[in-house]
Amino acid sequence: EVQLVESGGGSVQAGGSLRLSCSAPAYNYWRYCMGWFRQAPGKEREGVAIVDTDDITTYKDSVKGRFTASKDREKKILYLHMNSLKPEDSAMYYCAAVGRRGARGQCVDAPVGFGVWGRGTQVTISS
């Protein structure tokens, strides 16, 4: 059963931009941490942008200044705007919801901390 649906992936040259969208229709999802993860072949899944309920976002260091996550609560869509894309950004990108908080109250950034996942959208960046 698909609970989150990603779209917007594709192929683009280095330096280009893409906007990913995640449809998150359940009201409950918006009461918890949400985020974007990615996984390249042979690599572990990693957190890219994690957004809390106050819309404060924590980014992976390598995407800071290039990627921006945002929410449209009216449409119940989570976005990831990606600029200045690099070949190393190539991966399957996943939307995740129902993320838990750690001991200090922060959103976790590990995949095991999120309970709901989409099927992913492929992003391929050529040099």
Side-chain angles (χ1 to χ4, degrees):
E1 180 179 344
V2 178
Q3 297 168 294
L4 301 170
V5 180
E6 305 96 333
S7 62
S11 297
V12 65
Q13 292 184 317
S17 299
L18 286 171
R19 185 186 72 171
L20 307 184
S21 299
C22 170
S23 175
Y27 286 100
N28 175 256
Y29 296 165
W30 300 87
R31 294 178 177 269
Y32 300 91
C33 302
M34 306 175 73
W36 288 96
F37 293 76
R38 67 187 184 188
Q39 187 168 22
K43 302 294 184 180
E44 294 185 357
R45 190 170 298 188
E46 61 184 4
V48 175
I50 311 299
V51 190
D52 73 7
T53 51
D54 291 319
D55 298 341
I56 303 300
T57 307
T58 300
Y59 297 95
K60 178 178 172 62
D61 285 345
S62 62
V63 310
K64 288 179 180 177
R66 299 189 298 120
F67 291 11
T68 303
S70 62
K71 295 176 178 177
D72 186 332
R73 284 186 167 87
E74 293 292 330
K75 297 181 178 179
K76 290 189 169 52
I77 298 175
L78 175 68
Y79 295 102
L80 184 67
H81 299 259
M82 305 187 294
N83 299 313
S84 301
L85 285 161
K86 304 175 180 180
E88 51 263 45
D89 295 318
S90 296
M92 184 71 74
Y93 281 71
Y94 298 91
C95 179
V98 196
R100 67 186 185 186
R101 295 181 182 270
R104 292 173 290 174
Q106 82 286 4
C107 295
V108 301
D109 63 357
V112 295
F114 287 76
V116 181
W117 293 84
R119 292 177 177 175
T121 185
Q122 180 68 45
V123 171
T124 303
I125 312 302
S126 59
S127 61

